[in-house]
Amino acid sequence: MARKKKNVSPYKDAKTWKKDFKKNGVIYLIFLPIAAYFIIFNYIPMVGILMAFENYKPTKGLFGSKWVGWANFAKLFGGKEFPRAFRNTAIMAVMSIALGFLPPIILAILFSECKPKKFKRVTQIMSYMPNFVSAVVVCAIVTEFVSKDGPITHFLMLFGMKQQNLLASKVEPVFKLIYCLIGVWVGFGYGSIIYTTAISNVNGELKEAAALDGANRFQRIWHIVLPSIKHLVIMQLTMAVGTMFMVGFDKVLLLYIPKTYEVSDVLYTYTYRMAFGNKIDYGVSTASSLFQSILGTVLLITSNQLSRRFASYSLF
Amino acid sequence: MKKRWLALLLALVMAFSLAACTKTEAEDSKDTEAPVTEGETKADGQEEATTKAPETTLEEVSAEDVEGDEFFGKSTDFTAMISNGISTNLFSEYEDAPVLQYNMAKEWDPDGNGNTRKVNIDVWTPPAGSESDYANTLASTGEYPDLMNIQIMSMSAAEMYEDGMILDITDYVMKYMPNYRAFFERHPQYAGRETTYVDGERRYLCIYRLDEQLPGAWGGMLYRRDWIVKYGTNPETGEAFTGAWDEDGNYTDDVVFPSGETYPKTVSDWEWMLEIFEKALAGEGIEDGYAYQLASSGENGAGGDMESGFGAANTWYIDPESNEVVYGGTKDGFRSYLEMMNNWYQKGWVNKDFFERAGEMFFVIDTASVYSGKVGAWYGLTSQLGNALANADVPWMKDMCVFAAPTPINDVYGDESVQGFEPFLYYAGGLMGAQWVVSDKAADKDLPALFTFLDHFYDVDGGALELTFGLTKEQVEEAKTIAPKAYDAYSKMGLEDGAYWKNDKGEFEKNPVYYPNDPNEIGGACGLVRFAGLTEETRFNRKYLPYYAEQMALYRMYDATKAGIGGEITAQLTPDQSSNFAEVYNNVSTYCAQVVPEFITGELDIHDDAAWEEFCETIDSYDVQSYCDDLNGIINE
């Protein structure tokens, strides 16, 4: 009776770490700087989490500052504006994913289907450019465009909207929509690069064969291109869900005004005012970051589980 | 298995980094050391002051506590952090400032026994725009200098002292800073504010930058005087006004306000004036202008401007009647102020989009409109006074003349209880300015020499003049040999005859090279404006033109020094009180920034008692009273 073949790793032959290192030494060497990067910049700074539980004083350091337990979290969650900031963050996070996730994929498909090379290159560069413009400049442009006399405002007035500064509007979801559309404009070109690369690796023969069988362009995209990049899309979505609560602090801070706090204040801006207003409060700001990190981790694990269950693919 | 090993490795990395952050043995031993008894110094030379506060009164802290000669031979090289640099192309490092160079070249004898030594200061200047980041990073990394201006830091002197970051300098101030202490004898209203309570004893934790008199105003309310002349009429006779510039550059007119004054004294004067501006805007065909410019917060100035004439201000202040610290945002006077602003807004006098300009500082709101002559009254800079903004190419700016206006007295809104108040709070500052501390880094250096050096700049007839104006002709001559860098800089500035001299009346006059205008910005370069010391301008002849002198006097016609809560008071807050204030202040300012503009625009009805009550209740719920209590405790002490 033939023994059942186990699904073993191709690296199983290297029985020990030593042997594996000898065999793949170069690869380990290449990995070394990456590992060092993550250890130095991602793991060692995690010690700073302690600040969330301390009345942190720079002069006393992490281990000399007074331990206050959950007091910083109580201060953070106890603020009257916390529920409002949390609600706005959640809505803006969901809107950002809903509006911002598909455009890069669509753009990548459009680029892959675009035949004139010159036109393709120019449009690709144009779509990447907003990503390299600083948030301050982007927000200044947007502020002008949606101001009382801005071109977008005048355009919308053609549809009956009254003349107004859209960023000063407390009507839902005007501010949130502006914020999310900025994100789409800035990121959809740059975000399409990874999909464009993935699509370029799709076997061209499959598409040719499908075309010979009578599949039109849409059918080729639907049945060949999209399934080919499915895993990448799921991975990107999982990652996006994991970081969705990190709603852009800089853009909101630059765009919001006290009048619109009700609809625009997010966790980062709320924390900023609380921790860096009249006096720097390292404890509260660390507590806020830790809270958002934990939330992000929970969302990441959840979306990964969901993706494993419904799409039979997961990151880990 | 590999994953487990990797996880273990990463956990070890974290553990190592945790261990690396622990205190050194020396620090540990410092924490557990027995308290040092009075008079002892630690092995490293650092004075332990926390537990040895003398039981005598401040005046009885005698000079015997410090033996100056014990320090002789120790390092006299000090580092100092200033709050910000100055705009000049004469030198790039502030230690090259001529006055500093000149004094660093001189010999100092703290104890008068012939043990002379020079003091050398290496100045650290924070990068422009990130001063606070720079200073706080120094504090957090422990790499701070010997001497610091803590104006740009997020910690108070009391907190720094509690953390062991700065020294108790009482003994040194008492023995080596007679000029500094003399200021508080000349200005008894400030006596006591220069010290901090530590364990029930008044101690010097910092020294202050001081002004012999309130500095000239840099900003305030301004208005278009030429529009009143052109579009207004005498409220009594109905005759047109006349006004003109004379050959000497002085401006005269016959404008009279309804109160009978030549300036807008009351709220009714202001409303009369704003009506004229409304006519002027229409008359000049300016469609996008407005009569009164309001800051995004709904309040001009930095607390009290345009408000304290209602008997209240939306901030914390010392109430002139009760002499107690109060929060005025929930008082009837502030409600009446909001009623006035709401009325002005409804009449179309106020810039409609004021609440959208949250990113602009209160003294530079919508500068495009101001500089294009489309605003009637605004909070601006004194450099805009007179014909500074006149522009012959713009029809409505040809004869532009800007005058100053003090905070008005309310005589229109509310009942008698909020009317007739002489303004008591506006942006004016006080005589005590930035605080300078000496850090523990200087503990084993020659502190008597440092304090003697610093005290020189508080000498009202000596170093204070150097700090304020610069070097005299004789000093420039002396610098030629002892401080060539200082002499070179003065030569480049064209100040070989000195920066100032005394005239026949005994007044000080600045060298005309940089007076009255200072296009080359040498005013800051020839003195020592960024250092600790005393500014002495009381005997300075400013040579103002009569009309300009009148305007500057209007900004100082009411006393705002008694009601304002200066840094010298807040510096005495304990760390817990300071944290509490930060929380209360953040909550109140965030709430007011949202609601005050809504009362002004009418989104919330200021006449509706329920809406006002809700506003007051919310403010009270932030525990504004706790900060009042903390400050009253300090003041009463």
Side-chain angles (χ1 to χ4, degrees):
Chain A
M1 192 181 153
R3 286 174 70 185
K4 197 177 176 185
K5 196 178 176 184
K6 273 187 179 175
N7 184 16
V8 292
S9 159
Y11 305 105
K12 197 69 183 173
D13 291 345
K15 300 258 184 211
T16 63
W17 170 269
K18 246 182 189 175
K19 280 184 183 171
D20 192 47
F21 185 77
K22 268 184 187 171
K23 192 176 176 186
N24 301 304
V26 178
I27 295 170
Y28 277 103
L29 275 177
I30 293 169
F31 175 70
L32 206 61
I34 298 162
Y37 171 84
F38 277 103
I39 288 167
I40 294 168
F41 295 108
N42 291 61
Y43 280 89
I44 292 175
M46 274 193 212
V47 181
I49 287 170
L50 281 178
M51 282 195 271
F53 304 94
E54 291 177 341
N55 179 13
Y56 179 74
K57 296 269 179 68
T59 47
K60 290 192 173 175
L62 272 177
F63 295 92
S65 298
K66 193 179 163 191
W67 186 263
V68 294
W70 298 100
N72 290 322
F73 290 90
K75 193 173 170 185
L76 181 75
F77 301 143
K80 286 183 181 173
E81 292 151 9
F82 178 79
R84 179 181 78 184
F86 187 79
R87 187 192 66 220
N88 285 334
T89 309
I91 296 171
M92 282 156 93
V94 172
M95 281 177 72
S96 289
I97 289 189
L99 293 174
F101 189 71
L102 284 181
I105 302 171
I106 295 167
L107 188 68
I109 292 169
L110 289 174
F111 283 145
S112 71
E113 296 296 318
C114 185
K115 298 297 174 210
K117 279 188 178 173
K118 214 170 186 179
F119 176 77
K120 187 178 167 180
R121 278 182 197 153
V122 171
T123 48
Q124 271 183 317
I125 290 169
M126 281 174 68
S127 70
Y128 303 156
M129 277 169 71
N131 186 67
F132 299 104
V133 180
S134 82
V136 176
V137 176
V138 167
C139 290
I141 293 170
V142 171
T143 304
E144 285 302 315
F145 273 54
V146 300
S147 69
K148 204 172 176 182
D149 298 313
I152 292 177
T153 310
H154 277 277
F155 174 73
L156 293 173
M157 281 163 62
L158 296 175
F159 301 96
M161 190 191 81
K162 77 170 191 190
Q163 189 171 13
Q164 60 179 303
N165 178 356
L166 290 170
L167 281 174
S169 172
K170 280 167 79 175
V171 176
E172 289 280 27
V174 175
F175 184 91
K176 295 184 176 81
L177 203 57
I178 292 172
Y179 169 82
C180 294
L181 291 176
I182 292 173
V184 173
W185 175 58
V186 169
F188 85 127
Y190 193 73
S192 71
I193 294 175
I194 193 165
Y195 296 113
T196 310
T197 313
I199 292 169
S200 69
N201 288 329
V202 175
N203 192 343
E205 288 175 2
L206 282 175
K207 286 200 251 181
E208 272 177 38
L212 286 173
D213 287 345
N216 62 24
R217 183 173 282 190
F218 178 76
Q219 285 168 327
R220 290 199 299 269
I221 291 168
W222 189 256
H223 293 289
I224 296 169
V225 176
L226 286 178
S228 302
I229 61 168
K230 187 179 84 176
H231 287 171
L232 177 67
V233 172
I234 290 169
M235 185 185 83
Q236 291 288 90
L237 184 62
T238 309
M239 298 294 284
V241 169
T243 55
M244 68 192 272
F245 265 78
M246 291 172 184
V247 170
F249 159 73
D250 47 0
K251 289 202 286 288
V252 176
L253 191 69
L254 288 163
L255 294 174
Y256 81 161
I257 55 174
K259 195 194 169 198
T260 59
Y261 281 176
E262 190 61 37
V263 294
S264 62
D265 197 17
V266 293
L267 282 176
Y268 273 124
T269 47
Y270 164 73
T271 310
Y272 174 75
R273 286 198 310 275
M274 187 177 258
F276 299 98
N278 191 260
K279 190 170 188 279
I280 296 178
D281 192 334
Y282 297 94
V284 169
S285 61
T286 312
S288 174
S289 294
L290 183 59
F291 167 66
Q292 289 176 73
S293 296
I294 290 169
L295 206 60
T297 309
V298 170
L299 285 169
L300 186 73
I301 292 168
T302 310
S303 67
N304 191 59
Q305 292 292 103
L306 289 173
S307 131
R308 182 184 291 166
R309 187 164 176 188
F310 296 109
S312 305
Y313 176 78
S314 63
L315 277 180
F316 47 86
Chain B
M1 191 65 186
K2 272 181 198 169
K3 279 181 188 170
R4 284 180 197 162
W5 279 110
L6 190 63
L8 189 65
L9 182 73
L10 290 171
L12 278 171
V13 168
M14 274 185 70
F16 271 119
S17 52
L18 278 165
C21 293
T22 54
K23 287 174 284 184
T24 60
E25 278 181 24
E27 282 171 319
D28 281 336
S29 62
K30 189 175 156 187
D31 284 352
T32 53
E33 247 176 284
V36 181
T37 53
E38 193 173 344
E40 280 184 7
T41 51
K42 301 187 77 170
D44 61 358
Q46 184 183 343
E47 292 263 357
E48 179 58 73
T50 314
T51 56
K52 70 175 185 69
E55 290 178 5
T56 51
T57 63
L58 187 68
E59 291 304 321
E60 288 166 342
V61 177
S62 65
E64 284 88 52
D65 285 347
V66 180
E67 286 297 333
D69 284 344
E70 284 179 11
F71 292 85
F72 186 58
K74 289 189 173 180
S75 172
T76 54
D77 291 334
F78 295 93
T79 49
M81 181 184 71
I82 56 176
S83 60
N84 55 328
I86 60 165
S87 175
T88 182
N89 53 11
L90 292 161
F91 48 82
S92 53
E93 304 295 336
Y94 199 69
E95 64 253 28
D96 291 336
V99 172
L100 207 49
Q101 282 289 322
Y102 172 73
N103 281 287
M104 287 196 296
K106 283 164 63 176
E107 294 280 346
W108 301 93
D109 185 0
D111 296 288
N113 57 7
N115 285 338
T116 61
R117 52 265 208 187
K118 287 179 181 172
V119 170
N120 187 48
I121 307 280
D122 174 17
V123 181
W124 299 1
T125 308
S130 50
E131 290 86 356
S132 291
D133 289 344
Y134 174 84
N136 290 321
T137 305
L138 291 183
S140 59
T141 56
E143 299 297 321
Y144 44 85
D146 301 318
L147 186 63
M148 292 183 279
N149 177 340
I150 59 169
Q151 191 178 15
I152 52 173
M153 300 180 86
S154 62
M155 296 168 81
S156 69
E159 282 180 279
M160 288 181 180
Y161 180 70
E162 194 181 275
D163 291 352
M165 198 175 154
I166 61 168
L167 303 178
D168 177 345
I169 55 175
T170 309
D171 298 341
Y172 304 99
V173 173
M174 292 301 292
K175 184 170 182 184
Y176 297 108
M177 299 199 75
N179 290 318
Y180 177 72
R181 287 186 292 116
F183 171 87
F184 297 97
E185 285 164 20
R186 292 196 300 277
H187 302 277
Q189 74 271 30
Y190 287 99
R193 292 191 183 189
E194 78 278 29
T195 52
T196 306
Y197 266 89
V198 178
D199 297 337
E201 296 286 338
R202 287 168 61 205
R203 310 293 294 170
Y204 284 94
L205 297 185
C206 61
I207 53 171
Y208 287 84
R209 164 88 187 199
L210 302 170
D211 290 297
E212 195 59 23
Q213 66 171 24
L214 272 181
W218 56 267
M221 293 307 303
L222 300 163
Y223 66 95
R224 289 282 301 259
R225 184 78 166 191
D226 59 310
W227 276 357
I228 296 179
V229 172
K230 189 173 177 183
Y231 292 96
T233 52
N234 188 304
E236 280 190 12
T237 63
E239 288 175 11
F241 293 125
T242 56
W245 294 94
D246 64 21
E247 289 173 353
D248 298 328
N250 192 41
Y251 182 86
T252 47
D253 62 33
D254 56 359
V255 169
V256 178
F257 284 80
S259 63
E261 299 288 350
T262 55
Y263 63 90
K265 182 179 183 178
T266 60
V267 167
S268 51
D269 283 347
W270 270 79
E271 298 197 334
W272 174 82
M273 177 169 78
L274 294 175
E275 266 177 25
I276 292 172
F277 292 158
E278 196 179 359
K279 274 187 220 166
L281 288 163
E284 300 289 349
I286 304 169
E287 290 178 358
D288 53 347
Y290 46 88
Y292 180 80
Q293 188 180 75
L294 188 59
S296 65
S297 60
E299 301 165 75
N300 276 338
D305 296 79
M306 299 297 286
E307 294 171 8
S308 60
F310 289 76
N314 185 23
T315 185
W316 287 266
Y317 56 87
I318 302 169
D319 184 53
E321 287 180 5
S322 65
N323 211 28
E324 293 271 312
V325 174
V326 295
Y327 177 77
T330 52
K331 292 190 177 293
D332 290 343
F334 184 61
R335 186 180 184 181
S336 297
Y337 163 80
L338 291 176
E339 284 171 3
M340 175 184 81
M341 277 301 159
N342 172 251
N343 186 32
W344 290 10
Y345 189 83
Q346 300 304 332
K347 286 188 170 179
W349 290 341
V350 176
N351 43 330
K352 283 283 175 201
D353 63 347
F354 75 91
F355 49 84
E356 293 175 18
R357 298 184 167 273
E360 294 166 347
M361 294 294 284
F362 66 90
F363 54 91
V364 281
I365 304 289
D366 188 14
T367 44
S369 294
V370 170
Y371 284 95
S372 54
K374 294 176 179 176
V375 183
W378 67 98
Y379 194 107
L381 304 167
T382 50
S383 59
Q384 296 166 344
L385 280 169
N387 57 359
L389 302 183
N391 183 348
D393 298 330
V394 181
W396 58 83
M397 294 177 77
K398 261 192 301 191
D399 303 313
M400 189 165 174
C401 178
V402 176
F403 267 28
T407 287
I409 296 168
N410 175 35
D411 61 342
V412 176
Y413 296 87
D415 56 25
E416 284 180 358
S417 67
V418 295
Q419 291 185 359
F421 281 91
E422 188 171 279
F424 57 87
L425 191 66
Y426 53 91
Y427 200 88
L431 302 187
M432 294 175 74
Q435 300 159 49
W436 288 74
V437 295
V438 178
S439 78
D440 56 341
K441 308 279 182 193
D444 56 355
K445 293 187 181 180
D446 189 347
L447 290 173
L450 174 68
F451 283 95
T452 307
F453 180 84
L454 290 174
D455 191 53
H456 170 70
F457 297 109
Y458 290 94
D459 178 1
V460 73
D461 292 315
L465 301 172
E466 293 168 27
L467 182 131
T468 312
F469 305 117
L471 302 174
T472 60
K473 188 178 181 182
E474 293 74 27
Q475 288 170 324
V476 176
E477 282 297 318
E478 191 187 358
K480 203 172 186 175
T481 47
I482 67 166
K485 266 189 180 175
Y487 180 78
D488 289 347
Y490 262 54
S491 297
K492 279 184 197 167
M493 289 188 271
L495 294 173
E496 287 93 340
D497 289 336
Y500 74 102
W501 47 74
K502 260 186 186 175
N503 65 17
D504 299 338
K505 296 176 193 167
E507 297 167 331
F508 294 116
E509 284 183 15
K510 283 185 183 177
N511 189 325
V513 168
Y514 71 99
Y515 182 84
N517 297 311
D518 185 9
N520 299 318
E521 294 178 323
I522 59 176
C526 67
L528 197 60
V529 291
R530 294 286 184 262
F531 211 65
L534 171 72
T535 307
E536 210 308 66
E537 294 195 350
T538 49
R539 290 164 283 173
F540 172 42
N541 181 355
R542 294 175 185 274
K543 294 186 177 176
Y544 284 153
L545 289 162
Y547 92 92
Y548 195 89
E550 279 173 28
Q551 303 313 303
M552 294 302 281
L554 286 175
Y555 282 134
R556 293 283 180 262
M557 69 181 295
Y558 301 118
D559 183 8
T561 59
K562 288 172 189 157
I565 297 167
E568 73 277 6
I569 297 176
T570 54
Q572 318 236 3
L573 292 168
T574 65
D576 285 343
Q577 289 173 332
S578 184
S579 295
N580 174 55
F581 169 61
E583 193 176 340
V584 172
Y585 178 82
N586 286 339
N587 286 331
V588 171
S589 59
T590 302
Y591 179 67
C592 284
Q594 295 168 82
V595 178
V596 167
E598 289 183 350
F599 275 128
I600 293 171
T601 57
E603 219 169 309
L604 284 172
D605 186 1
I606 189 62
H607 305 285
D608 177 9
D609 289 341
W612 178 250
E613 282 301 318
E614 193 186 331
F615 172 76
C616 295
E617 279 169 18
T618 308
I619 295 277
D620 289 339
S621 73
Y622 292 127
D623 203 10
V624 289
Q625 190 56 39
S626 64
Y627 186 52
C628 298
D629 295 341
D630 290 343
L631 289 175
N632 281 322
I634 290 167
I635 290 168
N636 293 334
E637 268 186 344

